[in-house]
Amino acid sequence: MSLTRADLESSRLHQMISQSGLAMQVLSESQLQESIRVTLKSHKPNTDVWLFAYGSLIWNPIFKFTERRVGTVYGWHRRFCLRALVGRGTPEHPGLVLGLDCGGSCRGVVYRIPAADVESELLLLWRREMVIGSYIPRWVKVVDGTDEVMAIAFIINRHHPDYAGKISFETTVNTIATAKGELGSSAEYLMQTVKGLETVGIADKQLLQLHSAVSVQQNNG
């Protein structure tokens, strides 16, 4: 299964983490709203906001947008670098999900959120991406052909305790192939991301290689 808009509106993810028994710092609504306020401080009020997506926000955005484009961010790359102790894994067997880590480049989808919906939609996004502080919201330049837009992207927080750092390809494959949580398996997350990228014409060689290796391990298991 995947998160739904109703899940975020009812704070289900927040409750899932709070009830997990893990000693995680869960950000309150006021803390999330303050983070949004700080992020928008340099943004012109009452104007549209662009959001850059590189993982599940591509195949399961669940927020309102009026336009989407394929674009590239330079200086950051997509990588399975965040441990998932709930959702796509368990405390005993953590899964892995994607983060935007420093170095390289990343092709993804950039969405335009209309000015009238910025307040409500960003709050849903923050409840989804920022609830335990594993990401840092940052403005990045997204290049779309000859056009450029500044967009918010959720960058991995390298100081977060669940940041996986640089792990081997074999460890990554084994973790993704075997981990499963309340929202489904890490393997399903990988498969959906690969398919989501394909629908917008993006073939991520590293994710395709991972997907192939994970499929082989699961079939042999």
Side-chain angles (χ1 to χ4, degrees):
M1 63 175 295
S2 300
L3 280 174
T4 66
R5 188 177 180 91
D7 289 334
L8 298 177
E9 289 174 338
S10 65
S11 299
R12 179 183 172 225
L13 185 59
H14 188 290
Q15 294 166 3
M16 186 190 306
I17 296 168
S18 298
Q19 294 169 4
S20 68
L22 297 170
M24 285 185 176
Q25 181 181 0
V26 181
L27 300 185
S28 66
E29 282 285 290
S30 61
Q31 288 174 312
L32 294 177
Q33 290 174 344
E34 174 61 13
S35 174
I36 295 170
R37 187 194 68 78
V38 171
T39 302
L40 294 179
K41 196 172 181 180
S42 61
H43 184 72
K44 185 178 179 180
N46 303 314
T47 60
D48 298 351
V49 168
W50 290 91
L51 179 88
F52 181 73
Y54 54 88
S56 63
L57 289 172
I58 293 176
W59 49 267
N60 185 34
I62 65 177
F63 59 87
K64 298 175 184 177
F65 60 92
T66 55
E67 181 184 356
R68 74 172 186 175
R69 308 177 188 174
V70 173
T72 303
V73 170
Y74 294 94
W76 305 93
H77 68 285
R78 178 174 30 237
R79 189 164 73 85
F80 277 91
C81 58
L82 180 63
R83 297 185 188 91
L85 280 66
V86 295
R88 298 287 175 176
T90 65
E92 298 74 26
H93 193 164
L96 283 170
V97 293
L98 290 165
L100 203 58
D101 211 347
C102 59
S105 63
C106 178
R107 289 191 77 206
V109 174
V110 64
Y111 297 95
R112 183 199 293 267
I113 301 173
D117 295 321
V118 164
E119 182 177 349
S120 62
E121 301 313 294
L122 289 191
L123 181 56
L124 287 183
L125 282 163
W126 254 248
R127 286 176 178 171
R128 172 177 175 167
E129 304 295 332
M130 293 294 297
V131 65
I132 58 171
S134 50
Y135 296 108
I136 298 170
R138 176 171 177 154
W139 290 95
V140 297
K141 182 188 294 183
V142 185
V143 180
D144 168 26
T146 58
D147 196 12
E148 296 179 354
V149 298
M150 295 301 296
I152 296 171
F154 294 105
I155 308 298
I156 191 68
N157 180 358
R158 285 188 158 206
H159 299 291
H160 195 274
D162 295 330
Y163 175 61
K166 292 186 177 180
I167 55 179
S168 69
F169 180 78
E170 292 75 18
T171 299
T172 303
V173 170
N174 182 65
T175 301
I176 293 174
T178 55
K180 186 176 182 179
E182 288 188 53
L183 294 178
S185 68
S186 290
E188 291 168 345
Y189 174 95
L190 169 60
M191 177 191 67
Q192 289 171 311
T193 301
V194 168
K195 288 184 176 179
L197 289 168
E198 287 177 346
T199 61
V200 294
I202 300 175
D204 186 308
K205 292 181 180 180
Q206 291 183 324
L207 289 197
L208 289 170
Q209 184 182 12
L210 264 179
H211 185 257
S212 176
V214 167
S215 297
V216 169
Q217 178 162 327
Q218 288 185 319
N219 290 334
N220 292 340

